[in-house]
Structure formats: C-alpha cells, structure tokens
Amino acid sequence: MTVLVTGSCGRVGASLISLLHAEGHPVRAASRAPEEVTAPPGVPTVACDLGSPATFPAALDGVDSVFLYADPGHIDAFIEQARTAGVRHIVLLSSSSVLDPGAADNRIGAFHLNSERALESAPIEATFLRPGDFATNALQWSRPVRATGAVDLPQPDAYGSPIHERDIADVAFAVLTRPGPGMRGTGHHLTGPESLTFTQQVAVLAPATGRDIKVNTVTPEAWKRSVAAHVPAEIADALLAHWAGAGAAPTVTTDTVERLTGHPARTFADWAKDHADAFRT
C-alpha cells in the first residue's frame, strides 16, 4: 500500500509521513515545492500542486491511498486522475466548519464543504477528518510575544477546543492503515480534550514558555489591519464571525481521537510544551 501525502511541508503531513515510514508503510511525500520537503531518508518526494492538474498523474502513479488537503479548485480533476491510477481510499483533511449551520455561506466552511461534496459523489472511498481549532494557530502569537510580551486579540473570550497536530496525524494514520468498522467512508469530528478561551490558552502558554504574556483586547478592524498582509479579508471576516459566536459557552469536545487511536487527545499544555521554543527570544 503506497500512500501519497499531500501538503508534506505542513505539520500534519510531515507528522503523518514519519508515522507511516516508521511503521514500514510505503509513503510518497507530495508538495507544490518538493525541494522544501524534509522527509525521512528513503521517502521519495514528488511535485503535486493541487492548483495544477498537470502535476497529478506523476504524483498518483502507483498510489493506493491519499491523504489530501482540501482544495476544491481542481478536485474533480484530482479525483478522475486518482480513479485512473487505481486509488482506493482518500482521506480528506477537512474542517469542523462544515458542521456549522450555514456552512455553505461561510468562506471557510464552503471551501471544505465543496471538497467533501466532490468526494462524496466520487467512485473512490472517502473519509473526512474534521478538526476544529488547530493548536498550531497559536504560533501566530509567537512573534509578538517575542517582540513585546503581548498578544492583540479581537475576541479574547472566544472558546475553542484546540487539537494538537500530532493527534490529527495519528487519526489519519489509523484510518489509512487500520480499516475496521466505523473507520472509513465517514466523517470524524476531531477536537482537543478541553475547551479553552484564547485568554486561557495564553495563560497556559506563559508558564510553558517561561514568559509573562499580556493580552490586549483590540477592535476587529484593528486586528484585520494587523493581519492584512497574510490573511485575505474574506478569511479574516469568517474568523471574526466564528469567534463572535464562540464566546457564549465552552465549545464541544469529542472523544474521537481516543476512540480511533487508543490514546487520549493531547492537551493544549502538551502542545505548549512541544512548541515553547517558538515563543522564546
């Protein structure tokens, strides 16, 4: 079973590649920039740009299963080439935003929902991983923490259930390599084990990094201006809307990670310990 892992420069993809390789599963690391992939010795890399269908045939040749990042732009072409190559199973890294009411009208929800719908009608078995808040989103605070010891937040009391990227990779590994009842051909809502506000997440980060970290509440407009260089306005608006609706009560947590992997989901404190160096001067 050869597994093609797209997005291999990402933290989830890189972790999944290491898991597959360590357990002796043939794996191929794919990226739009394969020269930037850091893969274990013996793992081949290949160009696969989900925005460029011309890269699909070589990437999918001889592949049985795919770990696919969501990108609805050319997903029909990807599915057709996967079918031609004999791919039997695609695991899509989707988002829990598809579960929200009005997901089709939300920029983030629609992006993932359109990818899921294309795979639902495909002649290939598909499994959807639907994580909520990535714990790695907190890395966006690392630069201001190092520079000023503070983070600017438009909704500091918004809740999330941040999930460690290694738990997402562990679930993907289980779904790809351990077929069984309830594992494949369905959607899995993934969360961390606890619901925390942004302020509470910062409070967890502080002792892990050995720093005092201040939270500054800023207006949504000020936050949008501060991230405009790397967050499109539509995405920023979708995030602000999501956070505005996540402040009333703790968010849902699931036991999906433990049920599928056999181990409890890692806490945000675990994540903070693993990434503490990013917040230190």
Side-chain angles (χ1 to χ4, degrees), residues 47-212:
C48 185
D49 182 347
L50 297 179
S52 177
T55 65
F56 298 165
L60 288 162
D61 184 42
V63 166
D64 302 290
S65 301
V66 177
F67 178 73
L68 181 65
Y69 273 62
D71 188 337
H74 296 283
I75 194 165
D76 289 337
F78 188 90
I79 291 169
E80 178 57 27
Q81 186 58 50
R83 184 195 63 79
T84 299
V87 170
R88 294 177 294 176
H89 185 210
I90 294 176
V91 176
L92 178 74
L93 182 58
S94 185
S95 164
S96 65
S97 61
V98 304
L99 304 174
D100 295 339
D105 299 318
N106 176 282
R107 177 70 171 78
I108 298 172
F111 185 85
H112 294 89
L113 189 60
N114 290 339
S115 297
E116 287 196 10
R117 286 175 173 170
L119 285 164
E120 283 173 347
S121 60
I124 301 172
E125 186 174 36
T127 304
F128 307 136
L129 305 187
R130 296 166 174 160
D133 302 281
F134 281 46
T136 50
N137 290 342
L139 286 174
Q140 66 187 306
W141 302 334
S142 60
R143 183 176 296 176
V145 166
R146 293 195 306 268
T148 68
V151 294
D152 295 341
L153 299 174
Q155 298 283 349
D157 294 325
Y159 280 93
S161 305
I163 183 170
H164 199 304
E165 67 273 11
R166 287 169 58 193
D167 284 332
I168 301 173
D170 285 350
V171 169
F173 176 81
V175 169
L176 284 163
T177 64
R178 304 172 194 157
M183 293 284 279
R184 297 184 175 183
T186 187
H188 299 294
H189 184 189
L190 310 179
T191 74
E194 55 199 339
S195 180
L196 300 170
T197 66
F198 286 134
T199 299
Q200 290 170 332
Q201 291 175 41
V202 171
V204 171
L205 276 173
T209 59
R211 302 192 56 132
D212 291 327

Side-chain angles (χ1 to χ4, degrees), residues 11 26 180 193 198 223:
R11 293 176 183 271
F198 286 134
W223 179 80

